[in-house]
Amino acid sequence: MQVGKARAKHRSPMRPEILNPLFAALTDLKGVGPQLAKPLTRLGLERLVDVLFHLPTGLISRIAVERLDQAQPGQTIIVDLTVQDYRPGRSPRAPFGVEAFDRAGDHVRLVYFGRTSGLARKLFPLGETRRVSGRLDLYGDMRQIVHPDHVAEPGDEGAIAEHEPVYPLTEGLTNARLSQLAAIALDRRPDLAEWIDAPLLASRNWPDWREAVARAHANPRDEAARDRLAYDEIFANQVALMLIRQGLRNRRGRAIVGDGRLTGALRLPFGLTGAQERVGREIAGDMAQDTPMLRMLQGDVGSGKTLVALRAMLTAVEAGTQAALLAPTEILARQHHATLRAMLAGLPVNLAILTGRDKGRVRESTLMGLADGSIDILIGTHAIFQQAVTYRDLALVVVDEQHRFGVAQRLMLTQKAARPPHLLVMTATPIPRTLLLANHGEMDVSRIDEMPPGRTPVDTRVVSVERLDEVIASLERHLATGAQAYWVCPLVAESEASELAAAEARAALLAERLGAARVGLVHGRMKGPEKDDVMARFQSGAIGVLVATTVIEVGVDVPAASLMVVEHAEHFGLAQLHQLRGRVGRGAAKSVCLLLRSPTLSETARERLALMRETNDGFVIAERDLELRGGGELLGLKQSGEADYRLASPEQLVRLLPVAHDDARLFVERDGGMEGARGEAVRLCLYLFERDAAVPLLRSG
């Protein structure tokens, strides 16, 4: 989880002056206009520091030759060529050829596709010699170079590098242009004081930060430089998390102890599992301390986290205080509201909901109830962060699907109370130990590792999308029994750049086959009331099949839905597939999850889908997903817009995080903050990697 992520182009008033040149907007540079800014923004490159941390992933190696016959087809060469003639195509769209000869008189054709004849004529004036770089190929018996990558004046030996880094690109951005921006960023990188402990730096034989950045851009295979930069990023995050934990725990909270009159009065059709009892005791023990609780509750889909959270919130109400539950989406907030309202039926507990959609008198009534204390428990979305929302006595904050929220957002909510409230964050996405340490190092962790009785494992099958007609026929038979189904698609609308099935197109096809009245569609672009109406009709059974994007990944609870179809399943992360599968298997009927795959799969995709078929254990899936796919996609962060580590790969996280964790703990516990030269250097590191939400928590000495 990024701490203090601030992608704004504006200068931070607290940022050390030495770093400001790196945080200049790219659009402030000469030659970076709106047209170039678009592809740069698509890559997340808005400032020079973004380019500095956008490291190359490959290397082009060229060989300089005097004559064409010194090179083999397939090699990328540098050679001086003299232009003799042009060979236009028969139409403007046909390839344009430039006939050229080396100094020995051997022929090669330089080929340009598209409407580029003007560019080719400009680059290669007749009768003149140019230094050319490109891949030498054979077309029949004729040598050719398609779209030379560099053209320079002859004799300029340094104009074309024999080794050139290759950067991740997007449409509208060339490697040459990105290399130019990288050169500017490298030129502006400052000399910074060393923040890594001297013995560690020496034992690893790592270069200093400034040298490491230059080496990583020059050669993507420079492991020492890449490891040094990955370590810096991991270390900054670990220091920030520890400072936040220390800062929150140093603030005086208050002990919350209930009398059991509400938790004991809950009338539930089932008893608590042993795991729920154990976790409940851990949470109650934390809340009984005057140090604010910072606890993560991990539990697989259907393990009963909501009930554990409700009992904690009722403890807060029993103590005469208030509780708030924060959900990432309106669908999930309303689902929680309906579920908790049913559980609390008959109890003297005032439950309310607040989302961005609530306006006018309804909203005013809720705000007044929170301020005067007549509302005991508030369920809401980001709206409960807003400045106008005040609480009489907020003592417990529960954050659901916490990976959708940053540390800074969680801090905002805890600041809504006169004294720091206890904080419980929940996730149904099982998180490997490495990522727990990497992203949630400020928290204690509880795990519900036992499922309630009666939950039968979902039968998971992998089917080729070529059998779509059979799947739809099977769906029709399924609906005929009175059961319901989900059909999940990765995209909302057709895209020329993708062959993935779109939710809108799939809903239309199913409506044609099954009848329009039996098919509903939900996606993220729909307005709230429209989405709620479809969901309500699905929950009531009026709709048989719900076609959706991943907005139904969490929070939707329809016991009659016992079939989940995920189209193009290979494009989803394993943990996300596990979440989707968790939408079924909630009733008494046997449930099935069909993963529709493309006819051809990569080896990794095949392994991932096979694992889904083999196990329903989310914790096993999470560990394997980290190995196969990487941390950001594992947690769904890329779908939710929160950035992942930019420099540290999953492999580097696993290898370097334990070292960074220990080093950060020593720094915080031993050095304690800004005392000494290393403290000042660590401050620079936190700002450089934008973990500056933690900077105010550093002791000033």
Side-chain angles (χ1 to χ4, degrees):
M1 187 148 302
Q2 303 277 346
V3 182
K5 188 81 178 139
R7 301 289 298 215
K9 298 176 185 176
H10 307 295
R11 175 176 298 185
S12 165
M14 295 173 60
R15 184 187 302 128
E17 190 71 29
I18 193 171
L19 295 177
N20 283 333
L22 282 182
F23 284 83
L26 293 177
T27 49
D28 292 344
L29 299 177
K30 186 178 178 182
V32 183
Q35 192 165 350
L36 181 57
K38 285 179 184 176
L40 288 170
T41 301
R42 279 201 299 274
L43 288 174
L45 308 180
E46 298 180 356
R47 306 153 307 173
L48 278 169
V49 71
D50 301 326
V51 174
L52 200 68
F53 292 156
H54 187 75
L55 298 179
T57 52
L59 198 66
I60 295 175
S61 293
R62 304 180 174 93
I63 60 165
V65 297
E66 292 190 0
R67 302 193 320 273
L68 292 163
D69 62 10
Q70 292 173 328
Q72 298 297 317
Q75 288 183 318
T76 300
I77 64 170
I78 305 170
V79 64
D80 288 342
L81 297 173
T82 302
V83 181
Q84 188 178 77
D85 198 6
Y86 302 132
R87 188 174 292 273
R90 295 181 179 178
S91 73
R93 291 179 178 274
F96 182 86
V98 176
E99 308 296 341
F101 293 84
D102 66 11
R103 62 181 59 188
D106 289 333
H107 168 260
V108 64
R109 179 176 292 169
L110 312 176
V111 181
Y112 284 84
F113 288 94
R115 300 174 183 273
T116 52
S117 60
L119 172 66
R121 291 174 189 270
K122 183 178 177 182
L123 289 172
F124 297 103
L126 288 176
E128 297 198 17
T129 300
R130 291 290 180 266
R131 193 165 183 77
V132 179
S133 162
R135 178 187 161 105
L136 182 67
D137 286 308
L138 287 179
Y139 183 69
D141 293 331
M142 181 179 65
R143 294 188 184 98
Q144 69 174 19
I145 297 174
V146 177
H147 282 277
D149 52 40
H150 288 282
V151 180
E153 295 288 334
D156 187 354
E157 301 298 328
I160 304 173
E162 291 194 16
H163 301 285
E164 181 184 351
V166 179
Y167 292 90
L169 300 172
T170 186
E171 187 178 354
L173 186 63
T174 65
N175 197 67
R177 192 70 183 93
L178 194 47
S179 296
Q180 291 169 357
L181 293 173
I184 296 171
L186 286 166
D187 190 52
R188 294 197 188 181
R189 74 195 192 284
D191 273 316
L192 300 177
E194 184 56 72
W195 48 76
I196 295 182
D197 214 18
L200 174 63
L201 193 68
S203 69
R204 297 278 173 160
N205 199 25
W206 285 339
D208 64 37
W209 176 80
R210 193 172 193 274
E211 183 187 343
V213 177
R215 280 170 50 175
H217 275 274
N219 180 8
R221 301 188 190 97
D222 189 328
E223 288 187 18
R226 297 289 285 244
D227 275 0
R228 155 78 208 229
L229 298 178
Y231 182 86
D232 291 341
E233 184 176 38
I234 298 167
F235 174 73
N237 206 54
Q238 288 296 295
V239 169
L241 289 171
M242 288 179 192
L243 288 171
I244 284 172
R245 178 188 177 95
Q246 185 186 71
L248 288 174
R249 296 204 174 218
N250 286 344
R251 292 171 66 195
R252 194 78 170 170
R254 42 120 173 233
I256 299 294
V257 180
D259 56 18
R261 62 189 165 82
L262 296 175
T263 53
L266 272 176
R267 293 290 171 260
L268 302 170
F270 43 81
L272 295 174
T273 64
Q276 286 173 312
E277 293 269 18
R278 184 191 74 246
V279 167
R281 288 193 297 271
E282 291 170 353
I283 293 168
D286 281 359
M287 291 176 67
Q289 307 300 315
D290 59 9
T291 300
M293 172 173 67
L294 276 173
R295 185 167 289 277
M296 173 187 284
L297 175 56
Q298 277 191 292
D300 217 336
V301 176
S303 62
K305 295 182 302 300
T306 304
L307 177 56
V308 171
L310 174 59
R311 288 168 63 85
M313 291 190 285
L314 288 178
T315 298
V317 177
E318 288 169 357
T321 63
Q322 295 167 296
L325 191 157
L326 173 64
T329 65
E330 192 159 316
I331 284 180
L332 184 50
R334 296 194 180 278
Q335 178 81 46
H336 275 311
H337 185 248
T339 302
L340 296 187
R341 191 171 56 195
M343 287 181 171
L344 293 170
L347 293 185
V349 177
N350 190 359
L351 180 72
I353 185 167
L354 182 66
T355 70
R357 217 172 78 210
D358 297 312
K359 309 285 187 216
R361 289 183 182 176
V362 173
R363 175 180 165 79
E364 288 304 315
S365 173
T366 303
L367 294 181
M368 287 176 61
L370 290 170
D372 65 23
S374 60
I375 290 176
D376 300 306
I377 298 175
L378 178 70
I379 314 292
T381 56
H382 291 77
I384 69 178
F385 286 134
Q386 292 168 356
Q387 195 171 356
V389 182
T390 58
Y391 301 78
R392 184 184 66 79
D393 195 4
L394 180 63
L396 172 65
V397 174
V398 179
V399 181
D400 196 17
E401 287 308 315
Q402 58 74 40
H403 65 265
R404 307 295 178 94
F405 301 99
V407 171
Q409 289 174 300
R410 296 206 305 262
L411 287 175
M412 283 172 63
L413 191 52
T414 60
Q415 288 161 4
K416 287 287 182 184
R419 281 180 288 182
H422 297 285
L423 180 65
L424 176 67
V425 301
M426 306 194 298
T427 179
T429 303
I431 305 171
R433 184 184 175 280
T434 298
L435 289 184
L436 273 176
L437 205 57
N439 296 323
H440 315 284
E442 86 278 26
M443 294 185 180
D444 298 311
V445 179
S446 292
R447 178 182 279 193
I448 301 179
D449 51 9
E450 181 182 352
M451 297 299 278
R455 290 280 299 207
T456 55
V458 177
D459 181 12
T460 304
R461 305 169 191 172
V462 180
V463 179
S464 171
V465 76
E466 293 174 316
R467 296 172 61 189
L468 185 64
D469 283 343
E470 293 175 49
V471 172
I472 295 174
S474 175
L475 171 62
E476 193 165 14
R477 291 192 298 273
H478 178 81
L479 298 181
T481 68
Q484 292 171 275
Y486 299 98
W487 191 298
V488 176
C489 301
L491 294 179
V492 176
E494 290 290 359
S495 164
E496 289 181 2
S498 173
E499 296 175 357
L500 303 184
E504 289 167 342
R506 185 59 67 232
L509 175 66
L510 293 177
E512 183 183 316
R513 293 279 295 270
L514 308 173
R518 303 171 79 182
V519 179
L521 172 64
V522 173
H523 58 72
R525 296 183 195 172
M526 291 168 69
K527 288 187 167 57
E530 184 186 3
K531 196 184 299 180
D532 285 350
D533 177 61
V534 177
M535 292 303 303
R537 286 192 290 132
F538 184 60
Q539 285 168 318
S540 71
I543 290 172
V545 57
L546 182 70
V547 180
T549 58
T550 52
V551 295
I552 58 100
E553 180 186 334
V554 292
V556 181
D557 189 0
V558 182
S562 53
L563 174 63
M564 167 65 70
V565 181
V566 183
E567 199 159 348
H568 286 287
E570 71 274 10
H571 291 278
F572 292 88
L574 271 175
Q576 200 175 22
L577 288 175
H578 183 64
Q579 287 279 334
L580 291 169
R581 178 168 62 184
R583 296 306 102 209
V584 296
R586 292 171 168 254
K590 179 188 175 184
S591 293
V592 175
C593 177
L594 292 181
L595 303 178
L596 300 190
R597 61 164 178 83
S598 295
T600 55
L601 290 178
S602 69
E603 194 56 43
T604 300
R606 198 177 299 281
E607 276 189 64
R608 285 175 28 235
L609 296 183
L611 186 67
M612 287 297 297
R613 204 170 53 230
E614 291 162 13
T615 182
N616 277 270
D617 188 326
F619 294 104
V620 171
I621 287 169
E623 295 288 349
R624 188 73 181 116
D625 204 13
L626 179 60
E627 296 172 30
L628 291 174
R629 196 171 170 90
E633 291 178 87
L634 164 69
L635 293 178
L637 298 185
K638 289 177 182 169
Q639 286 84 1
S640 68
E642 181 159 351
D644 191 22
Y645 285 89
R646 288 188 285 182
L647 298 173
S649 69
E651 181 274 329
Q652 287 171 317
L653 263 177
V654 171
R655 185 161 44 83
L656 298 174
L657 190 133
V659 184
H661 179 77
D662 290 345
D663 192 17
R665 190 181 70 243
L666 274 174
F667 167 74
V668 171
E669 291 177 358
R670 181 187 64 194
D671 301 338
M674 298 315 302
E675 295 153 355
R678 192 181 181 205
E680 290 292 345
V682 171
R683 177 197 286 271
L684 285 173
C685 179
L686 289 171
Y687 272 106
L688 178 64
F689 290 98
E690 297 176 89
R691 268 66 170 185
D692 38 296
V695 169
L697 300 171
L698 283 162
R699 289 210 302 272
S700 60

